[in-house]
Amino acid sequence: MNLKNSLLFLSLLTCLPCFGQKFSDGMVRISTEQQADGKFLIYGEHDYLAPISVWLEFSTLKNLTPNGAVPYKAVIKAGEKKKLLLTLTPKPKAKTDIKYVYKYTLGDYTKARHQIDYAYCLPFLDKATYKLSQGYFGKFSHEKQHCIDFDMPEGTEIVAAREGTVIAMRKDSDQGGATRDFADLCNYVIIYHADGTFANYLHFKKDGVMVSVGQQIKKGESIGYSGNTGWSSGPHLHFEVYQPNTMLPEKKTIPTKFRVAKGKIMELKEGEKYTGYQGNE
Ligand SMILES: [Zn+2]
């Protein structure tokens, strides 16, 4: 018997936002145990305050029969400890071998469905005006992604575009630059929404994140101060909403509408300037 698991973290922040932001956070643990009867059990657990979707992809599965289709997809809820994902039963008297990688993305791929009529607020203060320097599918770094960038000076106050729970953040980086080398150095906030989607707010300045994991945030509530950390070519805020892709171990970014003035809800356009409006109608 030869058991070898190679583990692979899927970047949560691969939005290529202002180029891909990538991190391995050690939040997800997949383990394999062999029982006395020879069966292999694969378990999973994680530390996020939201469900995650996990994909197990086998490059070797010799003389073992899984009790589910592979690649295997599963959802691990928040707080679920040592969830049994898959059982592999050996063929009698045969030499077995397993090699697999796991990938994961935030959210429950079976349930997350974006509320398409939700009116997000602009993620900055009332009456503050900033240019949308890159829009959906922007050629600079948002190809194939529904992400937006607002140019703004470092230290600009950022507010939540939608209510939810902070499930991840980083604020200790003081580095940023226009090459991939900086991808792991992004300060960010991730907020989990009631419909199972998430929002990424990226590039906060050092010590500029003013919320903590587990905190409930209201729409329009301040979450920190913008910056230029991570893979970024200049001071700006990157914003995107996403849910797990049902077919692939990736996230799927989603177009969203913003309330930009009384009675006016719209998708934003690259190159336009927008003024913060925190009203609810
Ligand atoms: Zn961006």
Side-chain angles (χ1 to χ4, degrees), residues 15-19 134 141-142 147-149 203 236-239:
C15 109
L16 319 162
C18 315
F19 324 116
Q134 192 179 189
S141 63
H142 293 171
C147 308
I148 52 177
D149 292 339
H203 311 301
H236 75 287
L237 172 75
H238 170 104
F239 176 83

Side-chain angles (χ1 to χ4, degrees), residues 24-44:
S24 299
D25 55 12
M27 294 282 278
V28 178
R29 294 171 293 282
I30 305 293
S31 60
T32 308
E33 293 176 11
Q34 189 176 21
Q35 296 189 137
D37 62 3
K39 286 182 182 171
F40 291 94
L41 307 181
I42 301 178
Y43 297 96

Side-chain angles (χ1 to χ4, degrees), residues 30 49 68 82 86 98 102 105 114 124 129 132 140 149-150 245 265-266 273 280:
I30 305 293
L49 299 174
K82 209 176 173 190
L86 199 60
I98 311 171
Y102 72 87
T105 187
H114 185 243
F124 37 81
T129 300
L132 191 91
F140 190 56
D149 292 339
F150 292 99
N245 192 323
I265 296 168
M266 58 186 286
K273 286 185 175 170
N280 275 322

Side-chain angles (χ1 to χ4, degrees), residues 14 38 40 99 123 153 227 244 251:
T14 45
F40 291 94
K99 288 190 184 108
K251 66 183 182 184

